[in-house]
């Protein structure tokens, strides 16, 4: 099997899991992926629209519309950055806490399924190879 085909199959299955989860909360698959990103990466650092654009390869106008929708549904809020008021940090709202917990549980469950039966050494090798593949594609 070609490497790209295998990666695509994994991606499709992950997307289907994400779509199923999103339907439970009345959000689209793309909105769910963005919320996942905000949940995971937002724990370690402040996130801004530019981060969403870069992570998902979105044009600014597309990212703006997606974020406006999430904001109108009270799932995220944009708060002025303390360092530079021109930038708005993106974060979960209190109203989205239930979704946040369910997303976090689903992420952990999916991660567990992905690595089940794989040794730490094999997983480390896979991560190095996958990162190199991504780097190759970004050239």
């Amino acid at each position: 099997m070609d490497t790209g085909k295998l990666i695509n199959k994994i991606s499709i299955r992950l997307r289907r899991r994400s779509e199923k989860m999103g339907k439970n909360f009345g959000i689209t698959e793309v909105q769910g992926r963005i919320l996942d990103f905000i949940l995971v990466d937002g724990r370690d650092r402040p996130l801004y629209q530019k981060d969403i654009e870069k992570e998902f390869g979105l044009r600014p106008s597309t990212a703006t519309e997606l974020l406006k929708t999430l904001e109108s549904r009270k799932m995220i809020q944009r708060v002025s950055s303390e360092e530079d008021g021109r930038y708005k940090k993106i974060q979960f709202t209190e109203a989205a806490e239930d979704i946040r917990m369910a997303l976090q549980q689903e992420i952990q469950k999916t991660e567990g399924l992905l690595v089940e039966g794989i040794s730490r050494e094999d997983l480390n090798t896979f991560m190095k190879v996958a990162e190199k593949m991504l780097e190759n594609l970004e050239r």
Side-chain angles (χ1 to χ4, degrees):
M1 178 174 282
D2 293 323
T3 306
K5 282 185 181 180
L6 181 58
I7 292 169
N8 193 42
K9 280 186 170 188
I10 293 169
S11 177
I12 289 168
R13 284 181 179 71
L14 287 170
R15 196 172 305 123
R16 283 183 188 153
R17 289 181 67 85
S18 180
E19 285 173 2
K20 186 177 176 183
M21 181 68 176
K23 285 180 184 176
N24 292 338
F25 291 105
I27 58 176
T28 67
E29 184 260 338
V30 173
Q31 291 168 343
R33 288 191 353 239
I34 289 172
L35 287 172
D36 285 349
F37 177 71
I38 295 167
L39 168 65
V40 174
D41 283 42
R43 283 184 285 174
D44 301 329
R45 63 186 174 102
L47 292 178
Y48 302 93
Q49 181 170 326
K50 288 277 185 209
D51 298 313
I52 306 285
E53 293 167 10
K54 183 178 178 186
E55 178 69 18
F56 296 98
L58 299 174
R59 285 186 231 125
S61 58
T62 304
T64 297
E65 288 306 311
L66 283 164
L67 293 172
K68 277 184 183 177
T69 301
L70 292 172
E71 198 169 24
S72 72
R73 296 175 129 195
K74 309 282 190 243
M75 294 181 184
I76 64 164
Q77 62 185 0
R78 296 186 223 197
V79 179
S80 292
S81 170
E82 294 153 7
E83 296 83 30
D84 188 339
R86 295 175 295 172
Y87 296 102
K88 305 282 187 195
K89 288 191 292 188
I90 299 168
Q91 55 193 33
F92 269 90
T93 61
E94 261 187 59
E97 192 59 34
D98 288 342
I99 292 173
R100 176 185 166 114
M101 296 306 291
L103 284 173
Q104 194 169 26
Q105 288 173 349
E106 185 62 25
I107 290 167
Q108 289 172 350
K109 184 177 175 183
T110 300
E111 282 290 318
L113 285 171
L114 280 170
V115 301
E116 188 175 308
I118 300 172
S119 71
R120 173 62 53 198
E121 183 181 341
D122 285 347
L123 187 56
N124 288 339
T125 301
F126 168 77
M127 294 300 284
K128 286 178 188 174
V129 170
E131 286 172 6
K132 180 61 179 164
M133 287 177 173
L134 185 58
E135 183 183 305
N136 290 343
L137 290 171
E138 289 176 350
R139 281 190 277 149

